[in-house]
């Protein structure tokens, strides 16, 4: 018996084992990503989603979906849920027999990455949410969806002719390829309470100078002009970029999108930064934003009404629904210009379609994935989405004039109508995953501890690093 | 010798854990090391071997060095503060009671023992969310309690973000280590305390000369565990200051790894960060062992 006691593990051996295990933990991350070596034959893949249709092709079945085939869709289960895709899946079953499955998912990257590596991705993915896949990582493995846009919808009209505008597709175009069709239309603006403004006789500003004057007026009432939260400090970066693009024209967008050297030093961007710095220094931002959770900060605007304006996407009404003061009458205006000499009119708008749907090239039933998209882009499904989600899709005329009773939705329609073709979008921040690094910089700038020069050089350093370490997709 | 009994015993108790350990720990470990020499983007079968490029970039990467320094700060401060508090509390509820008669803890020590364990029962995520609210500069509990002159933007300014985050981690950890120390102190024979007391030792003297030497091994174990936790600290930091805090003052290595891998798709470089983290962790453990041995402790069990 004594012998076996000697060979029994002593405390130190156990400790050492635990130590090695703990040291391995940080490396466990690759466990989730599970090896390129595994997985079924990615090399000798014969199935190709788009090129050779398996079933017969005709206007009612432009992609040649095989009758009774199965389509697998993975849909981001966020603010919009997945029932709008299930709505389309029912139509798919009626048209072609078979079945379209809808898998709700929030961890898109974690669940889809191994399937891409193994070469068996699903037929349609809504690549959205905080855990979405970076487009520069999957660009070679997804279909160009131009043929979906040029296909007739279920009512017989070509889908391209039913879009809100042609450039609504821009947010899914990478280096000339329509890699994703973004389904939900949103826009970026500055939001305020129409009732509060009426009460004080204020009008929403259109230039940074007017914004400064409004800030002074607000201060007299003991209010702030702006409020921010630490996870959303870069909403002010979006505002600054939008503003600079309107002021300086498309060249501002292109220099940023192409991650060019000294892009942040562009005259128009500097003019906007300088105006913002004056507002920061004047104390028109509610202090403490860099330590405040962003929804708490947003409620200081929408519920406690301590601040007048908040720059955000049009999802803000829905996001703050339960935290908005009674009779708030949330209304939006496009981002400010610097002065009258701006390259774009005041009404120009950062409009961006969201919920990017992609069809992987190696999907088993890529034709079915495209057919699902075609169904979703048809009048019936688009109208259903607008009604159920109180948000417009990229398909025109699905929101009635009363906006289903929402002031924000009405003002969204008005802003889009006023902008006409003067809409733009930019996507380098998300494409290269820069938001986290930029947040730190913006939090410091907004709380007053960074100068315009420091803001510029810090943002430039982030852009430079991305250009040097990642594959840059050119934008023109 | 090779009866069914012994073979099945080896299979179940040695073979199975070994197989699991090899496939779920060692294999990913080797994979991570391998990918750290590639430029793998994470979504395809294609990548190039880039040699030591990722490591060269690593040592020149200012953000990584900031994160490393932050982790080192945590690994120094968190174990020290947590274990000192835990040891004091553990002493109080076991042997810190009245100075005459039987060696007991302070009055109602059973109650304190249970209560002080509560923070450990709360999931780290919840703890962090609660403290984020407590630290809110406008409506947070802390600023509301403090006189106006002491109000701070706790998580939002460079000078306070790191200390505030440390307080949260210490708060969450004290209960567990206190329990660990209580168990260790309970195993010290009561006669030793009685003898020390008869010789005229006060409570501090007893703690330093009786308790501490007797539970030395436990302290070392605790130190390594909490040090490793501090070298990670991902959950707390990621929730308290999602983007790394003001001027990256609370950014830790796993957060940076997470950002590189999952929002910038640089899995190759992220693997290099992972390997660096593992090295730092091992160095830390080696340091603790060395210091313990040099200061006269024995880690040999024979």
């Amino acid at each position: 018996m004594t012998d076996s006691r000697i060979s029994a593990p002593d405390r130190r051996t156990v400790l050492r084992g635990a130590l090695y295990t703990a040291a391995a933990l940080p490396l466990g991350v690759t466990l989730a990503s599970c090896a390129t070596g595994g997985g079924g034959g990615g090399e000798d893949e014969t199935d190709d989603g788009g090129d050779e249709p398996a079933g017969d092709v005709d206007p009612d079945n432009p992609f040649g979906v095989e009758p009774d085939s199965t389509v697998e869709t993975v849909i981001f289960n966020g603010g919009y849920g997945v029932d709008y895709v299930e709505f389309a899946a029912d139509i798919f079953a009626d048209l072609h027999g078979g079945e379209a499955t809808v898998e709700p998912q929030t961890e898109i990257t974690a669940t889809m990455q191994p399937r891409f590596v193994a070469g068996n991705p699903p037929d349609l993915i809504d690549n959205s949410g905080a855990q979405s896949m970076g487009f520069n990582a999957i660009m070679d493995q997804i279909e160009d969806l131009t043929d979906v846009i040029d296909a007739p919808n279920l009512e017989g009209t070509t889908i391209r002719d039913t879009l809100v505008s042609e450039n609504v597709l821009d947010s899914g175009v990478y280096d000339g390829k329509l890699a994703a069709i973004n389904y939900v239309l949103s826009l970026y603006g500055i939001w305020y309470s129409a009732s509060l403004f009426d009460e004080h006789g204020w009008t929403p500003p259109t230039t940074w100078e007017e914004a400064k004057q409004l800030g002074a007026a607000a201060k007299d009432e003991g209010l702030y002009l702006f409020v921010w939260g630490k996870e959303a400090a870069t909403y002010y970066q979006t505002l600054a970029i939008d503003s600079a693009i309107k002021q300086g024209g498309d060249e501002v967008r292109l220099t940023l999108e192409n991650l060019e050297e000294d892009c942040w030093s562009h005259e128009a961007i500097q003019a906007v930064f300088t105006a913002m710095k004056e507002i920061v220094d004047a104390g028109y931002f509610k202090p403490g934003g860099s330590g405040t959770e962003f929804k708490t900060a947003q409620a200081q605007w929408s519920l406690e009404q301590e601040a007048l304006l908040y720059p955000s996407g049009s999802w803000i009404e829905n996001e703050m629904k339960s935290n908005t003061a009674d009779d708030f009458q949330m209304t939006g205006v496009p981002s400010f210009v610097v002065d009258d000499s701006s390259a774009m009119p005041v009404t120009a708008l950062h409009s961006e379609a969201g919920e990017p749907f992609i069809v992987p090239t190696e999907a088993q039933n890529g034709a079915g994935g495209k057919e699902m998209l075609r169904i979703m882009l048809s009048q019936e499904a688009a109208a259903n989405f607008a009604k159920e989600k109180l948000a417009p899709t990229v398909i025109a005329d699905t929101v009635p004039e009363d906006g289903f009773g929402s002031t924000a939705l009405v003002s969204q329609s008005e802003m889009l109508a006023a902008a006409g073709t003067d809409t733009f979008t930019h996507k380098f921040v998300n494409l290269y995953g820069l938001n986290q690094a930029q947040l730190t910089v913006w939090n410091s700038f907004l709380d007053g501890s960074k100068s315009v020069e420091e803001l510029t050089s810090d943002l430039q350093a982030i852009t430079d690093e991305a250009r040097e370490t990642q594959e840059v997709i050119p934008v023109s | 010798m090779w009866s069914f009994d012994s073979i099945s015993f080896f299979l179940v108790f040695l073979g199975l854990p070994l197989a699991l350990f090899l496939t779920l720990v060692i294999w990913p470990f080797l994979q991570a090391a391998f990918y750290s020499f590639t430029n793998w983007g994470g979504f395809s079968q294609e990548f190039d071997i880039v040699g030591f490029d990722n490591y060269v970039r690593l040592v020149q990467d200012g953000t990584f060095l900031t994160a490393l320094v932050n982790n080192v700060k945590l690994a120094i401060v968190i174990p020290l503060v947590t274990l000192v508090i835990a040891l004091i509390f553990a002493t109080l509820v076991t042997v810190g009671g009245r100075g005459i008669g039987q060696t007991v803890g302070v009055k109602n020590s059973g109650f304190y023992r249970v209560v002080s364990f509560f923070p450990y029962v709360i999931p780290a995520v919840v703890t962090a969310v609660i403290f984020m609210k407590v630290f809110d500069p406008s409506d947070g509990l802390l600023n509301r309690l403090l006189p106006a002159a002491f109000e701070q933007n706790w998580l939002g300014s460079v000078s306070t973000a790191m200390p505030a985050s440390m307080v949260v981690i210490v708060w969450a950890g004290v209960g567990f280590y206190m329990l660990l120390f209580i168990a260790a102190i309970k195993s010290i024979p009561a006669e030793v305390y009685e003898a020390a007391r008869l010789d005229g030792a006060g409570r501090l003297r007893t703690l330093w000369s009786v308790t501490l030497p007797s539970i030395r091994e436990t302290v070392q174990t605790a130190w390594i565990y909490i040090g490793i936790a501090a070298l990670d600290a991902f959950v707390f930091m990621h929730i308290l200051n999602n983007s790394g805090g003001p001027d990256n003052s609370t950014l830790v290595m796993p957060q940076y790894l997470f950002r590189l891998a999952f929002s910038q798709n640089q899995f190759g470089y992220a693997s290099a960060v992972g390997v660096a983290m593992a090295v730092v962790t091992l160095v830390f453990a080696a340091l603790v062992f060395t210091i313990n041995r040099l200061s006269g402790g024995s880690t040999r069990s024979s």
Side-chain angles (χ1 to χ4, degrees), chain A residues 190-205:
Chain A
I190 297 158
W191 303 85
Y192 63 98
S193 160
S195 54
L196 182 74
F197 272 54
D198 282 348
E199 190 188 314
H200 290 90
W202 293 325
T203 49

Side-chain angles (χ1 to χ4, degrees), chain B residues 43-109:
Chain B
F43 285 86
S44 67
Q45 304 254 3
E46 292 158 22
F47 51 78
D48 306 316
I49 309 282
V50 296
F52 283 90
D53 283 8
N54 286 329
Y55 290 96
V56 173
R57 183 179 158 197
L58 197 63
V59 292
Q60 295 166 346
D61 185 341
T63 314
F64 172 75
L65 295 179
T66 308
L68 176 64
V69 170
N70 287 337
N71 269 122
V72 169
K73 282 183 197 165
L74 284 170
I76 294 170
V77 177
I78 299 286
L80 192 68
V81 176
T82 311
L83 297 186
V84 166
I85 296 175
L87 187 60
I88 292 172
F89 282 0
T91 308
L92 283 175
V93 299
T94 48
V95 296
R98 57 177 199 265
I100 50 166
Q102 204 188 350
T103 322
V104 289
V106 294
K107 213 188 259 178
N108 301 324
S109 57

Side-chain angles (χ1 to χ4, degrees), chain A residues 10 18-19 26-27 30-31 35-36 113 117 133-134 137-138 141 230 288 290-293 300 433 436 440 444 450 469, chain B residues 28-29 31 35 40 42-43 45 57 137-138 153 156 225 240-243 245 247-248 259 263-265 277 285 301:
Chain A
D10 61 20
L19 182 72
L27 296 168
T30 44
L31 190 59
T36 49
Q113 192 212 3
V117 173
M133 296 177 284
I138 55 172
Q141 300 175 69
K230 63 184 175 189
S290 56
T292 307
E293 195 258 336
Q300 291 168 353
Q436 290 288 322
T440 305
S444 300
K450 267 196 203 313
T469 59
Chain B
F29 201 110
Q31 278 189 321
Y35 285 123
W40 189 41
F43 285 86
Q45 304 254 3
R57 183 179 158 197
S138 310
N153 183 3
Y225 274 133
L240 287 171
N241 256 326
N242 181 280
S243 60
D247 284 347
N248 286 330
R259 182 195 294 178
S263 65
Q264 300 189 346
N265 303 306
M277 277 178 64
S301 57

